[in-house]
Amino acid sequence: MTPTHSRLSRPLRPSCPSRPALLRCCAAASLAAAFVLTACSGASEAQRQAAASVVPPTDCSAWVGTDRNATMGGYLLPQKARGTGSTGSAGAKVCVPVLMTANRAPTGYAGGDYHVAEFTDEKLKARWSACKEDPACFKRIDAQMQRWLPPNKERATRSTGVVDPSGRIDPDGQVDLKQIRRPAFFAKAPYREGIAEADARTYVVEFTAPRDTFERIDLKMTGDIKLRGWYIEGAGVDNGKGKKVRALAIMAPGGGGQLTAIQHPEEASYRVDEKTGKTVPISFPNATTETMGQRWWRENLYALNRAGFDVLAYDRRGEGLSGGFSDTNTLEQGEDVFRALNALDSGRGLRILTPKGELLEGEATRGRLLAGMPAGEIPLVLGGYSRGSMSTAWAMTKNYVAQCSFDMPQPSCTPPKNMRNIRGAILLSSFASGAGYVGDSPDLADRNLFLGGMAADHHIVFYPNSSTLAGMDRWPAAFFGKGLWDRAETLEGTVAAYNRIRGVKEIVLARGPHSIETWPASDRDYLRERMVVFAKAVIVGGRSISGARPWKDFKSLVATTPDSWEPSSKPKAP
């Protein structure tokens, strides 16, 4: 993929040279800007960032169930009295586990921000090159890559339509958009999902996109693919002054996410082995559920729509309703955001099925969506969960920092798109702090060699390198939601990302893992509530958001979690 200037771009600011050195230049500029910002924002902010960046040693250990199945270090924190907001009896504490970072800056390191400088695309590929010279290393990592290379049937099963044949389509064929499930499908028992209410304002949409670099270079595939999903019209976001502001939230799902897949409301994502006490993942699809987590995901889309947002959600390339062979290049998926906006703007390569069943395509679709506004003007929020956080981070980086083709044999960079109507990002179970903040766990030890190998040898950028983190000081706003033992990035990485954001920002934590659908309902509800508060604030120009749980340093941030636990990790009573 050779990046091109989007026709949605605004006038470009002066930028670094259009070469691989661009990223290093932009990273250095970001660090310098962050330093200036801290210096200008007063000692209190500088002190807060310094305190938040210092990670105190853990002082206890506790068992974590899904998806770690291990004893982890943590912090002894005051236990809340049941049914109250106050702490319990004096001395009553509980060990709250936190996944820590594996990669630490060496003593005396003088290369700037270690987690940026040492985890660039160039250095990750160099480490992979060294691994290839070691037969044992190459054999181990290559085996992992082969399991992930498309068609990724083990990890990306197209399950939509397996439990109920309605909604089953050939994603690579000519699709009758009337065959795609609409929100009203989920009104019936046993699903009874709230999003069914949005059916009368939902359009089925189909975008045209090119094949990704793996398909083009490695597999010699040609032609286009189709991306399909829903566009749900909103009533506008209340600006607090008696007016409504039309805005669009573009939401990217997690790995394996399929927008219209069935999830039975009583289904679980794991079982607990009675002998070992460990959690065992349940495979899907099964007799009642096509893909786990989709019910929770649709609840998020509906909450944003009820808050007034237009919502665009489509299945990523290679999964669910969308065509394509490859599903893992998140850099390419970040570019798909701008392709979809271009299509909504121009009508090129676009088909839509209106709520009344009218099929429109091409020129006939112009002006029907985006509240009649140009794609470069309607206020936008980009959001993503897990793998969707990766594509969202790449889209934000492409827009505000640089467009770099890390998946090409000879990467190059061009200036950013500069769409000033993108107001912020929602990152749930985020990978956006990049390769430097991998958790200290045996199953994560090879991630960065895998990352370098996939990009260098197979032209697939899966996990982000450090360039997403390096440019976050240019993002206008960001919201982070994660579990304390999230395998995507450590809490230290989330704090590092948070500290770079200049505008509106918030972190919401839970005592749970990467998979948010396993959290207690109260934690999921709170996360959704705060996500909507954030999204509304950045759309109406708010400079801060009220109601966030206060914290001043790393340990007090951990302590913002309520005394609710992912069930398999809840401490047993004495």
Side-chain angles (χ1 to χ4, degrees):
M1 177 186 65
T2 301
T4 57
H5 297 301
S6 167
R7 66 183 197 82
L8 302 175
S9 298
R10 298 296 182 92
L12 298 174
R13 297 173 296 179
S15 61
C16 306
S18 156
R19 277 287 174 243
L22 169 69
L23 187 61
R24 292 190 294 274
C25 173
C26 288
S30 296
L31 292 171
F35 176 81
V36 171
L37 175 69
T38 300
C40 295
S41 60
S44 60
E45 175 61 12
Q47 289 170 354
R48 192 206 62 75
Q49 289 202 16
S53 300
V54 173
V55 181
T58 57
D59 52 25
C60 63
S61 60
W63 172 260
V64 166
T66 189
D67 61 352
R68 301 290 83 204
N69 282 324
T71 298
M72 294 174 51
Y75 298 115
L76 281 170
L77 297 173
Q79 180 86 325
K80 302 285 185 181
R82 291 191 178 278
T84 75
S86 60
T87 56
S89 58
K93 292 186 176 182
V94 64
C95 186
V96 179
V98 185
L99 181 62
M100 296 299 183
T101 299
N103 302 304
R104 299 290 175 188
T107 302
Y109 180 77
D113 186 326
Y114 171 79
H115 292 95
V116 170
E118 299 302 321
F119 298 91
T120 62
D121 173 71
E122 181 180 8
K123 291 192 175 181
L124 291 166
K125 288 175 179 174
R127 287 175 197 153
W128 165 242
S129 181
C131 173
K132 291 174 72 173
E133 298 301 315
D134 177 346
C137 183
F138 174 78
K139 182 179 180 180
R140 186 179 79 251
I141 305 303
D142 184 61
Q144 295 176 34
M145 292 194 293
Q146 295 303 321
R147 289 196 297 272
W148 275 94
L149 286 176
N152 192 7
K153 299 302 182 186
E154 178 184 350
R155 299 176 185 273
T157 302
R158 294 184 190 268
S159 60
T160 302
V162 172
V163 172
D164 184 328
S166 65
R168 183 184 299 165
I169 63 169
D170 174 8
D172 290 306
Q174 180 65 28
V175 172
D176 178 358
L177 299 186
K178 293 181 180 179
Q179 292 183 319
I180 292 176
R181 292 170 182 158
R182 298 179 53 80
F185 173 87
F186 298 97
K188 62 184 180 182
Y191 315 117
R192 303 197 188 285
E193 295 184 23
I195 201 165
E197 185 273 329
D199 193 81
R201 51 186 183 273
T202 299
Y203 294 73
V204 177
V205 292
E206 179 189 79
F207 305 103
T208 303
R211 291 192 174 274
D212 74 7
T213 45
F214 174 79
E215 294 172 343
R216 297 197 317 269
I217 295 175
D218 294 52
L219 304 181
K220 312 303 180 187
M221 289 178 148
T222 59
D224 295 322
I225 64 169
K226 305 294 183 180
L227 308 176
R228 302 180 183 95
W230 293 339
Y231 186 107
I232 310 173
E233 287 194 306
V237 176
D238 187 349
N239 71 353
K241 301 177 182 178
K243 293 184 178 181
K244 300 282 189 178
V245 178
R246 288 296 292 274
L248 172 63
I250 304 178
M251 301 295 288
Q258 299 180 47
L259 177 64
T260 63
I262 290 170
Q263 179 188 328
H264 194 284
E266 296 179 2
E267 187 59 85
S269 61
Y270 64 84
R271 63 179 178 84
V272 178
D273 185 285
E274 293 182 0
K275 293 182 179 179
T276 66
K278 294 183 177 181
T279 59
V280 180
I282 294 175
S283 297
F284 299 100
N286 62 14
T288 62
T289 292
E290 293 172 346
T291 300
M292 193 63 184
Q294 301 318 289
R295 183 182 183 92
W296 168 76
W297 184 244
R298 287 187 289 266
E299 288 173 348
N300 293 330
L301 306 182
Y302 184 49
L304 286 163
N305 183 244
R306 288 185 66 192
F309 284 86
D310 288 24
V311 176
L312 172 61
Y314 54 86
D315 286 345
R316 79 181 80 256
R317 52 178 63 230
E319 293 194 35
L321 303 171
S322 293
F325 193 71
S326 175
D327 66 299
T328 46
N329 191 334
T330 62
L331 180 67
E332 190 80 59
Q333 291 159 17
E335 186 65 26
D336 285 339
V337 170
F338 301 101
R339 293 176 178 130
L341 286 169
N342 266 312
L344 291 169
D345 210 26
S346 67
R348 285 195 292 273
L350 176 64
R351 289 200 301 155
I352 65 174
L353 181 68
T354 72
K356 294 183 178 181
E358 182 184 11
L359 181 65
L360 304 173
E361 60 182 303
E363 186 70 22
T365 67
R366 293 190 66 181
R368 290 300 298 261
L369 300 174
L370 299 177
M373 287 184 270
E377 294 183 8
I378 185 170
L380 297 168
V381 172
L382 307 184
Y385 168 47
S386 186
R387 197 180 305 177
S389 77
M390 303 184 210
S391 59
T392 298
W394 283 126
M396 294 294 289
T397 301
K398 286 169 175 281
N399 191 65
Y400 283 106
V401 186
Q403 304 179 75
C404 295
S405 56
F406 298 124
D407 53 354
M408 292 294 285
Q410 295 296 324
S412 62
C413 297
T414 57
K417 296 176 186 291
N418 261 349
M419 290 179 63
R420 293 302 177 186
N421 55 318
I422 298 179
R423 304 291 177 80
I426 296 168
L427 302 171
L428 307 178
S429 296
S430 170
F431 287 86
S433 67
Y437 286 102
V438 173
D440 188 7
S441 181
D443 64 318
L444 306 175
D446 287 335
R447 181 189 289 175
N448 288 342
L449 287 173
F450 172 90
L451 187 169
M454 289 286 276
D457 287 13
H458 301 294
H459 311 105
I460 294 173
V461 172
F462 189 7
Y463 300 110
N465 54 49
S466 64
S467 59
T468 50
L469 175 64
M472 280 189 182
D473 65 300
R474 302 188 184 191
W475 297 17
F479 176 89
F480 305 87
K482 69 182 285 92
L484 289 177
W485 46 96
D486 185 348
R487 69 176 182 270
E489 68 185 17
T490 61
L491 180 56
E492 295 159 85
T494 304
V495 170
Y498 175 93
N499 280 342
R500 287 174 176 267
I501 301 298
R502 302 186 183 199
V504 176
K505 55 187 176 180
E506 184 175 354
I507 300 176
V508 172
L509 302 176
R511 297 176 186 179
H514 178 76
S515 298
I516 295 176
E517 59 267 23
T518 68
W519 295 5
S522 58
D523 286 297
R524 298 197 307 268
D525 292 346
Y526 180 76
L527 175 66
R528 185 180 304 114
E529 172 193 325
R530 296 306 304 172
M531 176 187 76
V532 171
V533 169
F534 166 85
K536 291 170 65 176
V538 297
I539 291 301
V540 302
R543 297 191 176 185
S544 62
I545 46 178
S546 61
R549 294 167 177 164
W551 58 280
K552 65 181 186 302
D553 54 29
F554 190 86
K555 190 171 181 179
S556 68
L557 174 60
V558 175
T560 62
T561 55
D563 186 30
S564 53
W565 297 77
E566 183 283 314
S568 69
S569 305
K570 185 175 183 179
K572 292 180 172 58

